[in-house]
Amino acid sequence: MKKPRILIFTYADTNSHHGCSFNDLAKITNVSKEVYCKTHDYDFLCKTDNIRTDRPIGWEKVEIICNYMDEYDYIFYIECDATIVNHTIKIENIIDDNYDIVIGQVTNCKDYIQVNAGVLLVRCSEWSKASMTNKQ
């Protein structure tokens, strides 16, 4: 089986949303992401320029995913304030071709299910492309 092409990406706003800047934080947390990508031969991207301010910042990840879907088999998004601490678990270990999008779950909620859109894995399938671009 051919090794899938995988992109791991994050983005760091540079003071364009509500006076907050995540650039300095990303410089710290990106070290673990870059080492992880180098270890497993994944591509890494941290976008810091041209982040749109005319919409909520969370939509930036959707645009980045859409822009890179044709170049990769899987895209893994991780927020800039998160690090990868266990470098022995490969993305290939969590890939399940029965799912096009895997979203993290907040595990400390007792009464309901809460998703964590700060970490997600997208299979670059036709379904994912249609869902992300709202062309279903």
Side-chain angles (χ1 to χ4, degrees):
M1 184 170 105
K2 183 177 114 176
K3 179 177 173 40
R5 296 168 298 155
I6 296 173
L7 171 67
I8 294 180
F9 84 92
T10 191
Y11 58 88
D13 189 311
T14 55
N15 207 23
S16 61
H17 281 81
H18 310 294
C20 297
S21 175
F22 289 93
N23 241 1
D24 291 337
L25 179 61
K27 289 175 186 173
I28 296 167
T29 60
N30 281 351
V31 173
S32 74
K33 296 171 187 126
E34 290 167 345
V35 170
Y36 180 79
C37 288
K38 187 173 185 177
T39 300
H40 298 292
D41 195 28
Y42 304 144
D43 291 341
F44 177 71
L45 168 71
C46 178
K47 181 178 179 184
T48 57
D49 297 328
N50 301 316
I51 294 178
R52 291 177 51 180
T53 59
D54 61 331
R55 62 183 180 191
I57 187 76
W59 287 104
E60 196 70 26
K61 70 180 140 243
V62 175
E63 182 174 314
I64 294 169
I65 290 169
C66 290
N67 288 342
Y68 285 92
M69 277 188 144
D70 290 334
E71 297 177 38
Y72 293 94
D73 300 309
Y74 291 89
I75 299 175
F76 183 78
Y77 168 72
I78 180 169
E79 288 189 336
C80 74
D81 64 348
T83 62
I84 299 175
V85 295
N86 187 341
H87 290 210
T88 64
I89 300 173
K90 296 164 64 169
I91 298 294
E92 292 91 332
N93 295 356
I94 61 172
I95 288 174
D96 182 338
D97 285 333
N98 293 308
Y99 301 97
D100 290 299
I101 299 175
V102 178
I103 302 173
Q105 177 181 344
V106 176
T107 58
N108 62 352
C109 295
K110 295 179 182 176
D111 299 331
Y112 54 91
I113 295 174
Q114 184 177 5
V115 297
N116 177 1
V119 179
L120 61 103
L121 176 65
V122 177
R123 180 167 66 117
C124 299
S125 65
E126 291 304 317
W127 184 90
S128 295
K129 290 175 188 177
S131 295
M132 292 285 176
T133 59
N134 199 22
K135 296 179 182 175
Q136 298 180 23

